[in-house]
Amino acid sequence: MPHEIILVTEPDLRQAVQLDLDVIDRIENAFASLAAGQVVMPPVLSMSLPEINAEVDVKTAYVPGLDGFALKISPGFFDNPGLGLPSLNGLMVLLSAKTGLVEAVFLDNGYLTDIRTAAAGAVAARLLAPSKVTTAGVLGTGVQARLQLVAAAKVRPFGKALIWGRDAGKAARLAAELNAALGIDVAACANPADLVAQCQLVITTTPVRDPILSADWLHAGLHVTAMGSDQEDKNELDPRILERADAVVCDRISQCETMGELRSARAAGPPGSLSNVSELGNVITGAAAGRMSDDDITVCDLTGTGVQDTAMATLALERVRRAQAGTTVLT
């Protein structure tokens, strides 16, 4: 019997799927499912290729109640800009949770990953940022720097945003873009310490291997979401930050222990340190505490999980079908 598979390109996905509150809610629900203990999510297959300045990640998860599950391949080849090519690309394959047959192939070049990553940042901000955020800041000037601020603004509206980057020109251009997109005061900031001092919500979005946010800059009422560390050699936060925080929340502790900020903090501290760490899903369900007061200092360590990819892929298929997008092939 012929089987239908929908092939969807990045332009079609950009038309059908945007970063909105429904996406954020779907990602929050996925983390809650993960906390319930019935999700099957194997460790990330992560391959670092330093000889060619590249890395490849493969993520997946089966989520009871969803019609399908995703297999996501995410390559990063960081010399590509010199060839006139993007650094990041990839695809998602959605399989039926009932038959295992391929239902859709999303040739998204990382677009769906970008959206679900930003949505996770919004979930963290909604749960862990103080109740009133007047100024938000981002360290970084890439795609996630933009999307993380857009996502955060949907759940913790703020009147001002600050951007710091090692390339001041890129920071200024992103600030101008977001000023128009968000309709608020967005400015480049020359000093990351000054940015942190003015913000209640700070998001780090860089692939650095040496910390760019110092523990000396922490202040009451600050929330930090760190999403750039997703390999064992990456580290955005001064390890002392996690020690000083009132709450440290991971998307998945087992992942953060090997490739997130938690790994760096535990490596720098005494054995057994940072034992009081919770997961985002448990904070969502109320099984673990997050922010207890507006004066708390909180940290969320995001490494990116397969449960997000499955939630994103199933939502994308719904929207693609509704838009009658993509190309159907018979196999």
Side-chain angles (χ1 to χ4, degrees), residues 89-274:
N89 63 94
L91 59 92
M92 287 190 188
V93 179
L94 183 66
L95 295 90
S96 167
K98 182 178 180 180
T99 66
L101 294 175
V102 175
E103 293 195 323
V105 177
F106 299 119
L107 303 170
D108 70 321
N109 294 314
Y111 174 69
L112 294 179
T113 295
D114 288 339
I115 295 298
R116 65 77 150 150
T117 301
V123 173
R126 184 154 63 184
L127 289 170
L128 299 169
S131 57
K132 184 176 182 182
V133 174
T134 58
T135 305
V138 65
L139 304 184
T141 58
V143 171
Q144 276 302 311
R146 180 187 187 281
L147 287 176
Q148 289 286 341
L149 278 180
V150 169
K154 294 181 182 297
V155 298
R156 277 290 188 277
F158 41 84
K160 182 177 181 179
L162 298 172
I163 299 169
W164 172 85
R166 287 170 292 184
D167 185 323
K170 288 183 179 179
R173 288 191 291 274
L174 181 58
E177 178 189 344
L178 285 171
N179 194 304
L182 297 177
I184 63 172
D185 178 16
V186 185
C189 187
N191 187 308
D194 290 342
L195 180 150
V196 175
Q198 298 179 61
C199 293
Q200 298 81 45
L201 167 62
V202 173
I203 309 152
T204 61
T205 66
T206 68
V208 296
R209 285 157 173 76
D210 296 305
I212 55 172
L213 203 162
S214 170
D216 296 334
W217 306 342
L218 296 177
H219 58 80
L222 178 66
H223 171 69
V224 177
T225 292
M227 52 72 52
S229 179
D230 57 1
Q231 293 281 331
E232 62 181 13
D233 58 348
K234 294 180 182 178
N235 179 203
E236 294 188 289
L237 304 186
D238 178 342
R240 296 176 299 161
I241 289 175
L242 274 69
E243 295 175 8
R244 297 183 184 180
D246 295 291
V248 176
V249 180
C250 298
D251 53 6
R252 187 64 159 174
I253 290 175
S254 58
Q255 282 190 196
C256 294
E257 286 175 332
T258 60
M259 60 179 64
E261 299 298 334
L262 182 59
R263 177 200 62 80
S264 302
R266 284 187 171 163
S273 62
L274 287 168

